[in-house]
mmCIF file of all heavy atoms in Angstrom:
data_model
loop_
_atom_site.group_PDB
_atom_site.id
_atom_site.type_symbol
_atom_site.label_atom_id
_atom_site.label_comp_id
_atom_site.label_asym_id
_atom_site.label_seq_id
_atom_site.Cartn_x
_atom_site.Cartn_y
_atom_site.Cartn_z
ATOM 1 N N ILE S 481 171.602 114.556 -2.368
ATOM 2 C CA ILE S 481 172.581 114.636 -3.459
ATOM 3 C C ILE S 481 173.788 115.482 -3.061
ATOM 4 O O ILE S 481 174.934 115.151 -3.391
ATOM 5 C CB ILE S 481 171.918 115.172 -4.748
ATOM 6 C CG1 ILE S 481 171.030 114.086 -5.362
ATOM 7 C CG2 ILE S 481 172.966 115.628 -5.767
ATOM 8 C CD1 ILE S 481 170.357 114.468 -6.653
ATOM 9 N N ASN S 482 173.539 116.536 -2.316
ATOM 10 C CA ASN S 482 174.644 117.432 -1.966
ATOM 11 C C ASN S 482 175.645 116.812 -1.005
ATOM 12 O O ASN S 482 176.775 117.286 -0.901
ATOM 13 C CB ASN S 482 174.108 118.735 -1.358
ATOM 14 C CG ASN S 482 175.158 119.820 -1.348
ATOM 15 O OD1 ASN S 482 175.688 120.185 -2.394
ATOM 16 N ND2 ASN S 482 175.500 120.319 -0.165
ATOM 17 N N ILE S 483 175.266 115.729 -0.321
ATOM 18 C CA ILE S 483 176.215 115.091 0.595
ATOM 19 C C ILE S 483 176.699 113.737 0.047
ATOM 20 O O ILE S 483 177.311 112.960 0.779
ATOM 21 C CB ILE S 483 175.618 114.902 2.006
ATOM 22 C CG1 ILE S 483 174.341 114.057 1.963
ATOM 23 C CG2 ILE S 483 175.353 116.249 2.666
ATOM 24 C CD1 ILE S 483 173.815 113.675 3.347
ATOM 25 N N THR S 484 176.425 113.477 -1.231
ATOM 26 C CA THR S 484 176.821 112.207 -1.840
ATOM 27 C C THR S 484 177.895 112.438 -2.892
ATOM 28 O O THR S 484 177.719 113.264 -3.802
ATOM 29 C CB THR S 484 175.612 111.506 -2.482
ATOM 30 O OG1 THR S 484 174.590 111.347 -1.500
ATOM 31 C CG2 THR S 484 175.996 110.144 -3.024
ATOM 32 N N GLY S 485 179.001 111.707 -2.766
ATOM 33 C CA GLY S 485 180.123 111.872 -3.678
ATOM 34 C C GLY S 485 181.363 112.335 -2.928
ATOM 35 O O GLY S 485 181.409 112.321 -1.699
ATOM 36 N N PHE S 486 182.361 112.741 -3.690
ATOM 37 C CA PHE S 486 183.621 113.199 -3.115
ATOM 38 C C PHE S 486 183.730 114.718 -3.176
ATOM 39 O O PHE S 486 183.144 115.359 -4.051
ATOM 40 C CB PHE S 486 184.801 112.552 -3.844
ATOM 41 C CG PHE S 486 184.925 111.074 -3.580
ATOM 42 C CD1 PHE S 486 184.233 110.152 -4.359
ATOM 43 C CD2 PHE S 486 185.708 110.604 -2.536
ATOM 44 C CE1 PHE S 486 184.328 108.792 -4.113
ATOM 45 C CE2 PHE S 486 185.809 109.243 -2.283
ATOM 46 C CZ PHE S 486 185.117 108.341 -3.073
ATOM 47 N N LYS S 487 184.494 115.282 -2.260
ATOM 48 C CA LYS S 487 184.619 116.737 -2.155
ATOM 49 C C LYS S 487 185.038 117.392 -3.468
ATOM 50 O O LYS S 487 184.568 118.466 -3.833
ATOM 51 C CB LYS S 487 185.639 117.097 -1.068
ATOM 52 C CG LYS S 487 185.125 117.006 0.354
ATOM 53 C CD LYS S 487 186.179 117.481 1.334
ATOM 54 C CE LYS S 487 185.622 117.638 2.744
ATOM 55 N NZ LYS S 487 185.265 116.341 3.350
ATOM 56 N N GLU S 488 185.944 116.721 -4.166
ATOM 57 C CA GLU S 488 186.534 117.331 -5.360
ATOM 58 C C GLU S 488 185.691 117.143 -6.616
ATOM 59 O O GLU S 488 186.085 117.581 -7.695
ATOM 60 C CB GLU S 488 187.943 116.776 -5.588
ATOM 61 C CG GLU S 488 188.012 115.274 -5.800
ATOM 62 C CD GLU S 488 188.115 114.477 -4.508
ATOM 63 O OE1 GLU S 488 187.851 115.059 -3.423
ATOM 64 O OE2 GLU S 488 188.458 113.286 -4.581
ATOM 65 N N THR S 489 184.533 116.479 -6.510
ATOM 66 C CA THR S 489 183.692 116.265 -7.689
ATOM 67 C C THR S 489 182.309 116.862 -7.468
ATOM 68 O O THR S 489 181.951 117.255 -6.361
ATOM 69 C CB THR S 489 183.542 114.761 -7.985
ATOM 70 O OG1 THR S 489 182.901 114.129 -6.862
ATOM 71 C CG2 THR S 489 184.893 114.110 -8.226
ATOM 72 N N ASN S 490 181.539 116.927 -8.557
ATOM 73 C CA ASN S 490 180.163 117.415 -8.459
ATOM 74 C C ASN S 490 179.317 116.445 -7.643
ATOM 75 O O ASN S 490 179.610 115.240 -7.593
ATOM 76 C CB ASN S 490 179.544 117.568 -9.846
ATOM 77 C CG ASN S 490 180.165 118.706 -10.634
ATOM 78 O OD1 ASN S 490 180.697 119.646 -10.054
ATOM 79 N ND2 ASN S 490 180.097 118.620 -11.949
ATOM 80 N N PRO S 491 178.246 116.939 -7.015
ATOM 81 C CA PRO S 491 177.362 116.038 -6.270
ATOM 82 C C PRO S 491 176.704 115.029 -7.205
ATOM 83 O O PRO S 491 176.470 115.319 -8.383
ATOM 84 C CB PRO S 491 176.331 116.988 -5.650
ATOM 85 C CG PRO S 491 176.385 118.231 -6.474
ATOM 86 C CD PRO S 491 177.791 118.345 -6.963
ATOM 87 N N VAL S 492 176.409 113.836 -6.680
ATOM 88 C CA VAL S 492 175.773 112.787 -7.482
ATOM 89 C C VAL S 492 174.600 112.188 -6.724
ATOM 90 O O VAL S 492 174.576 112.185 -5.492
ATOM 91 C CB VAL S 492 176.764 111.653 -7.840
ATOM 92 C CG1 VAL S 492 177.878 112.171 -8.719
ATOM 93 C CG2 VAL S 492 177.344 111.016 -6.573
ATOM 94 N N LYS S 493 173.623 111.692 -7.475
ATOM 95 C CA LYS S 493 172.500 111.029 -6.816
ATOM 96 C C LYS S 493 172.905 109.627 -6.379
ATOM 97 O O LYS S 493 173.781 109.010 -6.978
ATOM 98 C CB LYS S 493 171.281 111.001 -7.740
ATOM 99 C CG LYS S 493 171.074 109.753 -8.559
ATOM 100 C CD LYS S 493 169.732 109.801 -9.249
ATOM 101 C CE LYS S 493 169.381 108.467 -9.906
ATOM 102 N NZ LYS S 493 169.230 107.371 -8.970
ATOM 103 N N ARG S 555 180.192 116.734 1.073
ATOM 104 C CA ARG S 555 180.481 115.391 0.580
ATOM 105 C C ARG S 555 181.761 114.840 1.207
ATOM 106 O O ARG S 555 182.766 115.540 1.286
ATOM 107 C CB ARG S 555 180.605 115.412 -0.947
ATOM 108 C CG ARG S 555 179.281 115.746 -1.622
ATOM 109 C CD ARG S 555 179.384 115.751 -3.127
ATOM 110 N NE ARG S 555 180.212 116.837 -3.640
ATOM 111 C CZ ARG S 555 179.843 118.107 -3.694
ATOM 112 N NH1 ARG S 555 178.655 118.472 -3.233
ATOM 113 N NH2 ARG S 555 180.642 119.018 -4.206
#
Side-chain angles (χ1 to χ4, degrees):
I481 286 182
N482 196 58
I483 58 172
T484 304
F486 291 87
K487 281 184 170 68
E488 60 273 15
T489 62
N490 291 335
V492 296
K493 95 171 189 63
R555 294 181 292 285

